[in-house]
Amino acid sequence: MWSKWPDDGIRLRKPASVEAYREMLKDDIGYHIFVQYLFRRQWFDLKKYCNDHGISLFGDMPIYVAEDSADTWTHPEVFQLDKNRLPKAVAGVPPDYFSEDGQLWGNPLYRWRSLRLHGYGWWVERMRGMAELYDMIRVDHFIGFANYYSVKYGMPNARVGKWIKGPGKHLFMKLNKDLPGLNVIAEDLGCVNDRVQRLLDWCGYPGMRVMSFGFGSGKENRHAPGGYPANSIAYTGTHDNDTVLSWAEHADKDTLDDAKKQLGFTDIKDAPEAFVKAVFACGSDRVIVPMQDLLGLGGKARMNLPGTTGGNWLWRMLPGCLTTELVLRLISLNKSNNRG
C-alpha cells in the first residue's frame, strides 16, 4: 500500500523523488504502459465489433476508489486524507439486510466542497473515461451522491457513523454540461430516502428493481412485482444477492409463500424459472438476469457476499452451459414480452 511506503518523498509525491523513481523504474513503467496500450487497443476492437453487431457494452463504475489506488496517490486533494495521506473517514453503510454490523468498505471519502470549487474536474474526467469504455454506465451506490455514510477511520465496523449530504444535483449539472448524452443507470439500492429519490427524479436516470427483494413485506415494497416503472432496470437478483434457487431454499415460510403465490410456482426448484419469467414480463424497459439464475444454480454459484473478503467473484460459467435450448428459451422470452 503506497500510504505505508517508508520514503516520504515518493509517498508525498515530491517532484525530486518522483523524477528519481521515474528514472530508476523506467523499464517497469514502460512495460506497464505498453500492457495498458495493448489492453485498450484490444478493448476498443472488441467494443467496435459488439457495436457493429447491435450489442451495447454495459459497465459498472464504483462510486469510491481504493485507499491504495493510483487516484488517491496522484490526487490526494480530492479525498478526505490527513497530512500523512491516511483517510480521516471512510465509506460504508449502516447495519442493514446484509449485515448487522453494517458494511465497512474502508474507501476514502471525497472532499465534495473542494471538488465543487474546482468544477468537479476529477469527476468529469473519470466519467469521460467510463463513457469511452462503455455504452452504458451503472453508477454504483447512487445514494452516496445525495447523502453518504461516514465512519471514522480505524473503527472496527460500521455500526457507528453519520450521514452527510453529498453533492446532489450540482455534480450532475456539471456532468450534463461537459458530457452531454452520458448514458447512466443508477444503482439506487439501500437507504433510499426522499433526498435520494428527488435527486434520481431530477437526473432522470433509470433506477433498479430487484425481484428477490420484493416478497414478504406487502405491496408498498418498491421491489414487489407488478409495480416496476418503465424507467428502471429489473433484475432477478444482482451480484450481491444469493442465487434465486438458494434464496428460495433459505427464505422464511411467509416470504416464500408470498413469492409462490405471486409468481405461480409450488416447488422450490421451479423458483428460478418463475423469477426469470416474471422479470421479463414486468414493466421495466430493461431486464438483466444473472446467468446463475438462467441456469437454475444454487448458493455455491453466488458471486459476492457483501461485507466479506475472500472467496468472492470466483464463479465461472463452464463451457457448454449456453445450450441451444437455453438460447431458444431466451429468444422466446424476449419475443413473447416484446423485448426485441
Side-chain angles (χ1 to χ4, degrees):
M1 183 179 295
W2 67 262
S3 61
K4 299 188 184 302
W5 289 346
D7 184 342
D8 283 353
I10 190 62
R11 178 163 54 84
L12 301 180
R13 290 187 59 80
K14 294 181 179 179
S17 294
V18 171
E19 283 303 314
Y21 278 96
R22 182 177 284 128
E23 177 62 27
M24 185 190 312
L25 301 173
K26 63 181 179 181
D27 289 341
D28 289 333
I29 293 170
Y31 168 77
H32 287 290
I33 290 173
F34 182 63
V35 169
Q36 290 181 37
Y37 159 75
L38 290 178
F39 169 79
R40 287 184 67 85
R41 188 177 70 177
Q42 292 169 5
W43 177 267
F44 287 112
D45 285 346
L46 172 64
K47 186 175 185 296
K48 183 178 186 304
Y49 176 85
C50 290
N51 293 165
D52 288 347
H53 289 77
I55 298 171
S56 298
L57 296 185
F58 186 12
D60 187 70
M61 190 197 73
I63 184 174
Y64 296 120
V65 303
E67 180 185 348
D68 61 349
S69 65
D71 294 288
T72 52
W73 183 54
T74 57
H75 293 282
E77 73 282 357
V78 169
F79 305 94
Q80 296 180 28
L81 306 178
D82 65 19
K83 64 180 182 180
N84 294 313
R85 303 291 197 266
L86 294 175
K88 296 179 180 179
V90 295
V93 291
D96 59 9
Y97 171 85
F98 291 111
S99 173
E100 63 181 13
D101 285 333
Q103 298 176 43
L104 186 63
W105 298 334
N107 309 86
L109 295 168
Y110 296 106
R111 297 178 62 207
W112 284 118
R113 290 184 181 179
S114 176
L115 279 162
R116 183 175 179 177
L117 288 173
H118 292 86
Y120 298 110
W122 184 88
W123 265 99
V124 170
E125 292 309 308
R126 189 182 190 205
M127 293 299 285
R128 193 192 309 277
M130 293 296 101
E132 290 176 358
L133 293 173
Y134 309 118
D135 302 298
M136 297 180 289
I137 307 166
R138 174 187 176 273
V139 177
D140 170 64
H141 196 57
F142 183 82
I143 66 173
F145 295 108
N147 39 232
Y148 60 91
Y149 194 66
S150 174
V151 181
K152 186 177 179 180
Y153 184 63
M155 295 295 287
N157 56 53
R159 284 178 178 262
V160 179
K162 59 182 177 180
W163 287 103
I164 301 174
K165 285 185 178 181
K169 68 181 182 180
H170 300 285
L171 169 63
F172 295 98
M173 290 170 66
K174 179 64 174 175
L175 293 177
N176 290 340
K177 178 182 177 182
D178 288 13
L179 304 171
L182 204 60
N183 194 354
V184 171
I185 287 87
E187 190 266 301
D188 57 340
L189 306 180
C191 302
V192 182
N193 56 26
D194 289 343
R195 181 174 170 81
V196 175
Q197 191 58 57
R198 286 196 302 271
L199 178 60
L200 187 59
D201 291 343
W202 183 88
C203 290
Y205 300 148
M208 294 171 56
R209 296 295 185 272
V210 182
M211 193 158 287
S212 55
F213 290 160
F215 304 102
S217 56
K219 291 295 184 181
E220 69 279 1
N221 184 342
R222 66 198 293 266
H223 299 284
Y228 294 0
N231 191 35
S232 66
I233 315 291
Y235 296 72
T236 52
T238 75
H239 56 272
D240 286 333
N241 301 114
D242 208 345
T243 67
V244 165
L245 179 59
S246 185
W247 174 91
E249 290 171 342
H250 295 94
D252 64 77
K253 184 178 184 303
D254 289 342
T255 301
L256 182 60
D257 285 347
D258 186 24
K260 288 179 176 179
K261 180 180 178 181
Q262 292 200 55
L263 302 187
F265 68 97
T266 55
D267 196 311
I268 284 177
K269 67 179 176 59
D270 296 324
E273 182 177 1
F275 272 64
V276 171
K277 286 182 177 179
V279 293
F280 269 88
C282 77
S284 300
D285 284 340
R286 296 190 183 103
V287 168
I288 295 178
V289 179
M291 187 56 70
Q292 294 95 319
D293 292 340
L294 287 171
L295 297 174
L297 301 180
K300 289 184 178 180
R302 179 171 184 160
M303 190 62 78
N304 182 55
L305 183 62
T308 67
T309 57
N312 295 315
W313 301 98
L314 298 179
W315 182 80
R316 298 291 184 271
M317 187 173 74
L318 298 176
C321 285
L322 190 62
T323 62
T324 300
E325 180 184 4
L326 178 56
V327 171
L328 293 175
R329 178 184 167 210
L330 287 171
I331 292 172
S332 176
L333 283 167
N334 276 284
K335 287 185 175 180
S336 63
N337 291 286
N338 298 313
R339 294 193 178 274

